[in-house]
Amino acid sequence: MRFVDEYRDPRAARSILDRIVELAGDDHFKFMEVCGGHTHTIYRHGIEHVLPEGVELVHGPGCPVCVIPMGRIDDAIAVAETPGVVFTSFGDMLRVPGGHGSLMDAKARGADVRFVYSPLDALRIASETPEQVVFFAVGFETTAPSTAVTLLRARDLGLTNFSVFCNHVTIVPPIKAILESPDLRLDGFLGPGHVSTVVGNRPYRFVPEQYGKPLVTTGFEPLDILHGIMMLLRQIREGRCEVENQYTRVVRDEGNPRALAVLAEVFELRPHFEWRGLGFISQSALKLRPEFAAFDAELRYSVPGVRVADPKACQCGEVLKGVIKPWECKVFGTACTPETPIGTCMVSSEGACAAYYNFGRLHREAAVTLGRRG
């Protein structure tokens, strides 16, 4: 299959691994994969277990479900439990725990909460019912254009029973927050692939220019990840520090101009937004422009807007910052599992805890065996 099989070739993987071993030498390097999709690939294919001991991967705040704080979940529940509201959401958000349970719990209490595949599905529901329909908009710049297009269509249709509870976030501010974190030393980044299809590579230039760290925008297949790591090591060994693009088959330096234009038309930056594990980060999220205030669920409905602290046993914040690995959390795999999640990292398929729980232990032995054979 084009763009799949050729990026999962074991012989090519061993060749790249040999080069990684050569470039790494006896030194230690710590690279952060920003995107949750990268984390999923790394665990599913056992990549971190075939790398040399001197190359360590840590996980960043690139899972859009994982970074939503508990207070925003409580706000969503408050909207969902408003009489006459049909609350729509992507499936992985339904099980994210807040201070008062999850949206699934709200549904069990009688709220009309429905799973949709896209905001256009929510718009269709609004066109077919007189009830108020709210869409729970979540994600980085990857999914924000689809929300923006949906709002433009809602305006054109003149729908008055559709609104959006906007929780879209942006990728650059959390990377800055990570770089300025005093408890984490990094040697480089595997830059996010999906977000970069929209924003391009140019926004990341501050990473090498201001912080002296290389960044390689990387795809999502096993050979993409290995190639991205090799490119980072090669930059360091050659004394270079820049933004490189491994994902050239999809990502362009300028991004997607049409998607960026529709984002600018519908959204503006919030003054500040709370991130799980990172606290409040200025201008790190999107809100609807005043022209679209009629579609803003935060203005239409009463929400608590209360900051809720994570459970003391949950260490999602440390996982999202790359300070600890999922299995180092005190409740990982015991009290906290995909069936009974305590934190967001165990809910989403892109969450580091869920990815390792589902794939890490299963693939550890096979991956180590592959590395020995290579």
Side-chain angles (χ1 to χ4, degrees), residues 33-148:
E33 81 271 3
V34 176
C35 185
H38 289 156
T39 302
H40 183 87
T41 298
I42 289 165
Y43 284 144
R44 180 175 185 178
H45 296 277
I47 289 174
E48 70 170 13
H49 303 307
V50 300
L51 292 173
E53 290 185 5
V55 177
E56 179 184 359
L57 300 178
V58 296
H59 324 295
C63 166
V65 173
C66 304
V67 301
I68 300 298
M70 295 183 71
R72 296 294 286 185
I73 300 299
D74 286 351
D75 291 344
I77 291 172
V79 175
E81 293 185 331
T82 302
V85 165
V86 177
F87 195 87
T88 61
S89 171
F90 295 135
D92 49 6
M93 290 304 302
L94 298 180
R95 296 174 56 247
V96 176
H100 300 286
S102 66
L103 284 166
M104 286 296 290
D105 295 325
K107 182 178 178 67
R109 293 192 294 263
D112 191 347
V113 177
R114 305 184 191 181
F115 158 65
V116 294
Y117 287 102
S118 78
L120 287 173
D121 288 342
L123 188 67
R124 176 185 54 78
I125 295 172
S127 68
E128 296 173 350
T129 180
E131 295 181 298
Q132 293 292 327
V133 178
V134 180
F135 174 67
F136 194 2
V138 173
F140 286 90
E141 291 96 336
T142 313
T143 56
S146 63
T147 302

Side-chain angles (χ1 to χ4, degrees), residues 28-40 42-43 47-48 51 54-63 178-179 183-191 225 229 232 317-328 350 352:
H28 185 270
F29 301 93
K30 182 181 289 188
F31 300 132
M32 173 176 281
E33 81 271 3
V34 176
C35 185
H38 289 156
T39 302
H40 183 87
I42 289 165
Y43 284 144
I47 289 174
E48 70 170 13
L51 292 173
V55 177
E56 179 184 359
L57 300 178
V58 296
H59 324 295
C63 166
I178 290 290
L179 285 164
D183 54 355
L184 185 63
R185 183 193 67 83
L186 294 172
D187 297 292
F189 290 88
L190 294 175
I225 303 293
I229 294 169
L232 284 171
E318 287 87 346
V319 173
L320 289 170
K321 291 189 293 185
V323 176
I324 66 171
K325 299 295 181 69
W327 56 89
E328 295 175 313
E350 291 190 5

Side-chain angles (χ1 to χ4, degrees), residues 171-172 176 199-207 243 253:
I171 193 63
V172 166
K176 286 185 177 180
V199 304
N201 291 313
R202 294 172 183 170
Y204 311 128
R205 290 177 181 173
F206 76 95
V207 177
V243 174
D253 280 348

Side-chain angles (χ1 to χ4, degrees), residues 119-120 123 133-135 137 143-159 162-166 168 262-263 265-268 286-289 291-297 300:
L120 287 173
L123 188 67
V133 178
V134 180
F135 174 67
T143 56
S146 63
T147 302
V149 168
T150 301
L151 286 165
L152 291 172
R153 184 170 296 184
R155 184 185 63 180
D156 293 343
L157 292 173
L159 290 178
F162 178 76
S163 59
V164 167
F165 179 48
C166 185
H168 285 300
V262 75
L263 287 180
E265 183 178 357
V266 174
F267 297 114
E268 63 184 13
L286 304 175
K287 66 175 182 177
L288 275 59
R289 286 188 173 278
E291 304 92 288
F292 292 87
F295 299 100
D296 193 336
R300 183 176 291 190

Side-chain angles (χ1 to χ4, degrees), residues 139-321:
F140 286 90
E141 291 96 336
T142 313
T143 56
S146 63
T147 302
V149 168
T150 301
L151 286 165
L152 291 172
R153 184 170 296 184
R155 184 185 63 180
D156 293 343
L157 292 173
L159 290 178
T160 59
N161 66 329
F162 178 76
S163 59
V164 167
F165 179 48
C166 185
N167 291 267
H168 285 300
V169 290
T170 58
I171 193 63
V172 166
I175 294 178
K176 286 185 177 180
I178 290 290
L179 285 164
E180 294 175 359
S181 175
D183 54 355
L184 185 63
R185 183 193 67 83
L186 294 172
D187 297 292
F189 290 88
L190 294 175
H194 290 147
V195 170
S196 300
T197 63
V198 175
V199 304
N201 291 313
R202 294 172 183 170
Y204 311 128
R205 290 177 181 173
F206 76 95
V207 177
E209 292 173 358
Q210 297 180 25
Y211 297 93
K213 309 293 182 184
L215 183 147
V216 175
T217 302
T218 307
F220 295 91
E221 292 300 326
L223 264 64
D224 288 324
I225 303 293
L226 293 173
H227 191 200
I229 294 169
M230 185 189 74
M231 292 171 70
L232 284 171
L233 289 168
R234 189 168 58 196
Q235 277 200 51
I236 293 171
R237 291 308 190 195
E238 293 177 357
R240 295 184 291 115
C241 185
E242 56 194 62
V243 174
E244 283 190 295
N245 185 11
Q246 185 277 333
Y247 206 19
T248 54
R249 65 188 185 275
V250 176
V251 174
R252 301 292 178 266
D253 280 348
E254 67 277 11
N256 185 325
R258 293 185 65 183
L260 292 171
V262 75
L263 287 180
E265 183 178 357
V266 174
F267 297 114
E268 63 184 13
L269 289 172
R270 291 178 182 266
H272 53 79
F273 190 79
E274 184 185 3
W275 291 61
R276 185 176 293 238
L278 296 175
F280 285 93
I281 304 177
S282 62
Q283 297 187 321
S284 63
L286 304 175
K287 66 175 182 177
L288 275 59
R289 286 188 173 278
E291 304 92 288
F292 292 87
F295 299 100
D296 193 336
E298 287 186 79
L299 300 177
R300 183 176 291 190
Y301 302 100
S302 176
V303 297
V306 176
R307 188 178 188 186
V308 180
D310 288 343
K312 292 182 178 180
C314 176
Q315 294 178 274
C316 267
E318 287 87 346
V319 173
L320 289 170
K321 291 189 293 185

